[in-house]
């Protein structure tokens, strides 16, 4: 592999002159500049990225710490962030934590050693230990996104989950459903709790009551949708519709219903939440609540770039709005 000394020797100049040509840091005579550029081309010389990063104090790289890249919702956000990084000429280092505080610490130490220009942190939840750790990295530009108001020093994603839960339940009611169940996420978590509260409001406003056996709590995984739906199906009286608080739980619920010899939506209607890419290919295609993962990822990264380039450290809020996406998994009982 050619070195800067090889280029200097072929061009008949000093290594300092070669450096000035590469970095455009001083005027160099045109014939000298041409000799250096010709030598670079002939030798296929590429300046050391590490050396250049030390000189200009940037590595053109970003770190991203997430709960898990396997979850479809996070995967789509990560895809949006990676695309935006690529368009801006940045590389992305991705780190999964599984909400483990020790993993978060190790990932942050590794990213700092790699001299990334900034870190985007978007986990499902944070322990106080992790929040204290983020605050200790004073010299590293960072965006720490939280779902809901929990820690005053963090940025916030305002996803209007309450409105989304209300929209989903209201749509079921508008289609004639009065016996409605719900498979929620872990209700100690902000996102799951607010979606459930939206469900409760729509039920209350319609003057309906819900059988407590139709209210099941999972952990936003397809296995939870499957198991919770089986618990509902074991009841003597069944709901005509179930609101699943994310799409992957809806997939599990549909599998449980199908295994019992029932059909969606003829026997039980299902509505999901998140509008992940694969939800349109479910059998049947899933009616769901849309959230713009691409906008969320790009807005968070844009905020990080502002902190990198302009040292803006004011707490920020990124707001996204839920929208109903109608497909084929909800039956209109009023039309039959």
């Amino acid at each position: 592999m050619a070195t800067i000394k090889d280029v200097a020797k072929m061009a008949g100049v000093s290594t300092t002159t070669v450096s000035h040509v590469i970095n455009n840091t001083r005027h160099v005579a045109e014939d000298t500049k041409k000799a250096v550029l010709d030598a670079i081309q002939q030798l296929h010389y590429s300046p050391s990225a590490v050396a250049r990063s030390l000189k200009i104090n940037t590595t053109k790289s970003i770190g991203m710490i997430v709960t898990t890249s396997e979850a479809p919702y996070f995967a789509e956000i990560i895809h949006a962030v990676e695309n935006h990084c690529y368009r801006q000429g940045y590389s992305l280092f991705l780190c999964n934590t599984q909400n483990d505080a020790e993993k978060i610490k190790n990932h942050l130490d590794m990213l700092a050693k790699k001299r990334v220009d900034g870190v985007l942190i978007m986990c499902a939840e944070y322990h106080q230990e992790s929040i204290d750790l983020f605050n200790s990295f004073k010299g590293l530009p960072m965006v720490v996104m939280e779902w809901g108001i929990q820690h005053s020093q963090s940025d916030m994603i305002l996803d209007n989950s309450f409105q989304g839960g209300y929209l989903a339940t209201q749509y079921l009611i508008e289609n004639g459903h009065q016996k409605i169940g719900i498979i929620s996420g872990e209700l100690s978590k902000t996102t799951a709790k607010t979606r459930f509260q939206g469900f409760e409001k729509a039920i209350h406003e319609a003057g309906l009551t819900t059988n407590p056996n139709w209210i099941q709590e999972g952990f936003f995984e397809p296995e939870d949708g499957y198991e919770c739906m089986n618990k509902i199906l074991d009841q003597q009286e069944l709901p005509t519709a179930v609101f699943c608080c994310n799409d992957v739980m809806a997939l599990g619920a549909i599998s449980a219903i199908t295994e019992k010899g029932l059909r969606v939506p003829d026997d039980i209607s299902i509505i999901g939440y998140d509008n992940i890419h694969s939800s349109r290919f479910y059998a049947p295609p899933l009616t769901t609540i849309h959230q713009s993962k691409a906008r969320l990822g790009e807005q968070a990264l844009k905020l990080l770039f502002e902190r990198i380039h302009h040292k803006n450290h004011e707490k920020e809020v990124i707001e996204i709005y839920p929208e109903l996406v109608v497909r084929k998994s909800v039956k209109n009982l009023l039309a039959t």
Side-chain angles (χ1 to χ4, degrees):
M1 181 179 293
T3 68
I4 193 171
K5 290 182 179 180
D6 296 326
V7 173
K9 183 177 180 180
M10 177 175 282
V13 298
S14 68
T15 55
T16 301
T17 299
V18 175
S19 177
H20 285 313
V21 171
I22 293 171
N23 296 298
N24 196 28
T25 50
R26 196 185 72 184
H27 174 72
V28 177
E30 285 301 318
D31 56 343
T32 302
K33 183 176 181 180
K34 183 178 185 303
V36 170
L37 294 176
D38 287 345
I40 288 173
Q41 184 176 13
Q42 291 179 44
L43 294 171
H44 302 288
Y45 171 69
S46 178
S48 167
V50 174
R52 285 178 60 80
S53 71
L54 291 172
K55 184 177 181 65
I56 63 178
N57 199 31
T58 179
T59 59
K60 299 290 282 185
S61 62
I62 296 294
M64 185 175 187
I65 296 177
V66 298
T67 303
T68 172
S69 58
E70 292 182 0
Y73 183 77
F74 278 111
E76 292 183 30
I77 295 174
I78 293 165
H79 180 69
V81 169
E82 196 279 332
N83 275 344
H84 197 60
C85 278
Y86 179 78
R87 291 198 298 269
Q88 299 296 320
Y90 279 74
S91 299
L92 181 69
F93 291 101
L94 179 63
C95 305
N96 291 275
T97 70
Q98 286 76 42
N99 286 331
D100 185 317
E102 184 64 23
K103 278 190 175 183
I104 292 176
K105 180 182 184 304
N106 291 336
H107 287 320
L108 273 174
D109 287 340
M110 177 272 293
L111 292 170
K113 289 176 182 177
K114 287 186 176 294
R115 297 175 54 86
V116 295
D117 295 340
V119 178
L120 174 59
I121 302 173
M122 194 175 291
C123 297
E125 61 178 305
Y126 302 100
H127 303 291
Q128 186 59 48
E129 179 184 353
S130 297
I131 295 295
D132 294 340
L133 178 65
F134 301 152
N135 294 332
S136 70
F137 279 76
K138 298 296 184 182
L140 182 62
M142 191 178 298
V143 170
V144 182
M145 303 305 305
E146 284 201 274
W147 275 262
I149 302 172
Q150 295 180 26
H151 302 97
S152 60
Q153 294 176 314
S154 300
D155 303 292
M156 188 175 72
I157 299 167
L158 186 59
D159 64 357
N160 291 287
S161 284
F162 179 90
Q163 182 185 355
Y166 181 84
L167 276 175
T169 312
Q170 187 181 47
Y171 180 72
L172 296 175
I173 294 169
E174 288 173 350
N175 279 272
H177 294 276
Q178 297 185 3
K179 299 178 180 181
I180 303 173
I182 182 171
I183 300 175
S184 76
E186 193 176 4
L187 291 175
S188 61
K189 304 299 186 292
T190 300
T191 299
K193 182 179 179 180
T194 50
R195 291 177 190 181
F196 182 77
Q197 289 171 337
F199 165 82
E200 287 186 311
K201 180 184 179 183
I203 292 292
H204 177 74
E205 284 186 353
L208 303 176
T209 57
T210 298
N211 185 329
N213 294 321
W214 300 342
I215 300 175
Q216 299 291 330
E217 183 178 351
F219 296 92
F220 286 128
E221 297 293 339
E223 295 86 355
D224 301 303
Y226 179 82
E227 293 171 4
C228 289
M229 192 67 231
N230 273 322
K231 291 178 182 177
I232 293 174
L233 293 171
D234 285 341
Q235 305 305 313
Q236 187 171 2
E237 183 182 16
L238 299 181
T240 62
V242 175
F243 168 34
C244 297
C245 286
N246 77 345
D247 288 350
V248 296
M249 288 199 299
L251 176 60
I254 292 172
S255 295
I257 292 169
T258 303
E259 283 186 5
K260 293 290 185 180
L262 302 174
R263 294 183 297 173
V264 178
D266 293 342
D267 298 305
I268 298 179
S269 292
I270 295 290
I271 189 168
Y273 203 110
D274 286 340
N275 192 30
I276 61 174
H277 177 74
S278 59
S279 65
R280 72 196 70 181
F281 304 112
Y282 286 10
L286 185 67
T287 294
T288 185
I289 300 297
H290 172 73
Q291 293 189 121
S292 179
K293 280 77 70 182
R295 179 179 178 273
L296 175 57
E298 289 188 9
Q299 288 291 99
L301 189 59
K302 180 181 177 182
L303 174 58
L304 181 58
F305 282 147
E306 288 178 0
R307 289 186 180 164
I308 292 170
H309 300 304
H310 305 296
K311 311 302 180 184
N312 169 25
H313 296 289
E314 293 295 320
K315 176 184 174 183
E316 297 285 346
V317 175
I318 296 176
E319 188 167 9
I320 54 178
Y321 300 91
E323 302 172 13
L324 177 68
V325 177
V326 177
R327 295 195 181 104
K328 303 291 185 180
S329 64
V330 174
K331 183 178 181 180
N332 185 348
L333 299 182
L334 301 177
T336 58

